[in-house]
Amino acid sequence: MEVVILNKKIGKCHICQKESELTYEHIPPYKAFNWDAAKSIEGDEVMKLITDDNRMPWELEGLKYKSKQRGMGMYSLCSNCNNLTGTYYGTEYIKFAHTIAKLFPEIIEKCKKNQTNITGIEIKGMKPLLFAKQVLSMFCSICPNITQQDQHVKDLLLNKEITGLNPKKYKLSMFLLNQYKIGYNGIQAQYVGGFGVRVIATIDAYPFGFVLEFDPKDNFANPELDITNFFNEYEDKEYNMHFGLPVLERNNIFSCDYRTKEEIKKCVEDNKNILED
Ligand SMILES: [Zn+2]
């Protein structure tokens, strides 16, 4: 629960779980392109996006929004955890975000030429463990109970050197997001036809997108790149990394919907035709 006393927000920190004054955590970090005032669409207004037949899911005009003057984020962490994650992990995340943003025109060009959406990325001197820990700390901010239920995740985030994330319990995946967009979906159960239920949380944060799956099913082929091994195969050191990242679009508030606008429009038209027949 979050209680506001004299403009102070008191609550349980989403990482250390101590009752404290909560500070504003930028998700993603401020310097990773999250410095502009943001429009946050929440609650009933989200329903309008889902249920209004005349509105495409990317058409936000006329919807009410909360203005977040200092960028997207929330009061989720105590000042200790906020400073610690920022110093230990935020820097590495910001570095990678800027490298990718700079490369984006080239990445798109290459994908077009090769008629694929997977791009080979080579990064010298990257610290994959620290990058992945920043992403995990962002998921802890939007899903308040992760470290309450899992002491290891708490230790992993509070100690820079600790490694390891159980791939039977968590699967962290990422993709490149070629549009300026920041948004989150907390823990949700998603039914996938012919497959079953997946429990996931997602973050869109240009130039990346992330999916955290809980108790992952290994027979489900998702388009994002699984980076859970960043916790298990790397230490707090620099590495020359080489991996293939998919470039995906997000035109919908639903998690893991990567259809293009054209595909969504076609689907809406097809549904209308079925109803009219
Ligand atoms: Zn804390």
Side-chain angles (χ1 to χ4, degrees):
M1 206 177 68
E2 196 178 79
V3 184
V4 183
I5 304 169
L6 299 171
N7 287 329
K8 284 185 178 173
K9 288 187 191 267
I10 310 288
K12 258 192 186 168
C13 167
H14 295 192
I15 292 182
C16 71
Q17 296 295 338
K18 285 184 196 141
E19 194 82 16
S20 25
E21 185 183 336
L22 298 177
T23 55
Y24 194 80
E25 168 74 352
H26 280 87
I27 308 166
Y30 177 81
K31 286 184 186 162
F33 310 103
N34 187 14
W35 48 67
D36 283 333
K39 293 177 179 177
S40 179
I41 294 164
E42 299 168 13
D44 290 348
E45 297 298 301
V46 172
M47 288 311 293
K48 286 185 193 164
L49 261 183
I50 298 171
T51 52
D52 185 346
D53 285 345
N54 298 317
R55 187 187 279 281
M56 285 294 159
W58 55 87
E59 291 170 353
L60 307 179
E61 294 81 13
L63 292 180
K64 289 196 197 98
Y65 57 86
K66 279 189 192 162
S67 181
K68 303 222 170 187
Q69 285 306 325
R70 44 180 154 177
M72 286 289 280
M74 58 181 76
Y75 287 88
S76 55
L77 304 184
C78 72
S79 59
N80 269 349
C81 290
N82 201 333
N83 291 335
L84 182 151
T85 53
T87 314
Y88 285 177
Y89 317 128
T91 319
E92 187 62 29
Y93 181 99
I94 292 160
K95 227 170 74 186
F96 191 28
H98 281 260
T99 307
I100 292 296
K102 216 186 271 172
L103 284 174
F104 238 130
E106 204 181 301
I107 289 172
I108 297 301
E109 203 49 47
K110 236 167 129 188
C111 283
K112 261 192 200 148
K113 207 177 125 202
N114 300 333
Q115 296 193 323
T116 171
N117 70 336
I118 310 266
T119 181
I121 304 271
E122 262 188 272
I123 305 279
K124 290 201 171 100
M126 182 186 174
K127 295 180 172 173
L129 176 68
L130 304 191
F131 172 78
K133 285 194 185 194
Q134 173 62 34
V135 179
L136 188 60
S137 79
M138 285 156 37
F139 275 107
C140 286
S141 271
I142 67 161
C143 312
N145 299 327
I146 296 179
T147 60
Q148 194 182 320
Q149 287 160 5
D150 191 333
Q151 176 70 35
H152 175 70
V153 172
K154 193 201 276 189
D155 295 340
L156 182 69
L157 292 178
L158 293 180
N159 299 280
K160 200 179 176 202
E161 296 78 21
I162 290 187
T163 62
L165 187 70
N166 185 349
K168 287 206 163 68
K169 284 177 85 174
Y170 306 96
K171 179 177 178 178
L172 181 64
S173 325
M174 73 178 288
F175 58 91
L176 299 184
L177 179 64
N178 179 29
Q179 69 212 109
Y180 187 78
K181 187 177 177 156
I182 296 175
Y184 335 121
N185 283 329
I187 294 183
Q188 60 196 285
Q190 197 177 61
Y191 178 77
V192 183
F195 173 74
V197 174
R198 291 171 82 207
V199 179
I200 54 171
T202 56
I203 295 175
D204 294 325
Y206 169 84
F208 305 123
F210 303 101
V211 180
L212 181 64
E213 185 175 352
F214 300 84
D215 301 321
K217 316 265 195 313
D218 42 359
N219 53 342
F220 182 73
N222 52 320
E224 311 92 7
L225 175 73
D226 183 352
I227 59 164
T228 319
N229 68 330
F230 282 12
F231 294 99
N232 299 321
E233 289 171 21
Y234 302 93
E235 296 167 42
D236 173 17
K237 282 198 284 194
E238 288 190 351
Y239 297 84
N240 293 334
M241 302 292 289
H242 189 196
F243 40 77
L245 275 169
V247 182
L248 299 171
E249 283 185 44
R250 294 279 298 126
N251 296 307
N252 206 313
I253 56 165
F254 296 114
S255 290
C256 303
D257 184 343
Y258 304 116
R259 288 175 298 168
T260 62
K261 288 181 179 175
E262 286 67 35
E263 285 167 332
I264 294 173
K265 269 186 194 158
K266 185 171 182 307
C267 189
V268 170
E269 286 306 315
D270 288 352
N271 285 342
K272 272 187 191 160
N273 292 338
I274 291 170
L275 289 174
E276 279 162 12
D277 282 348

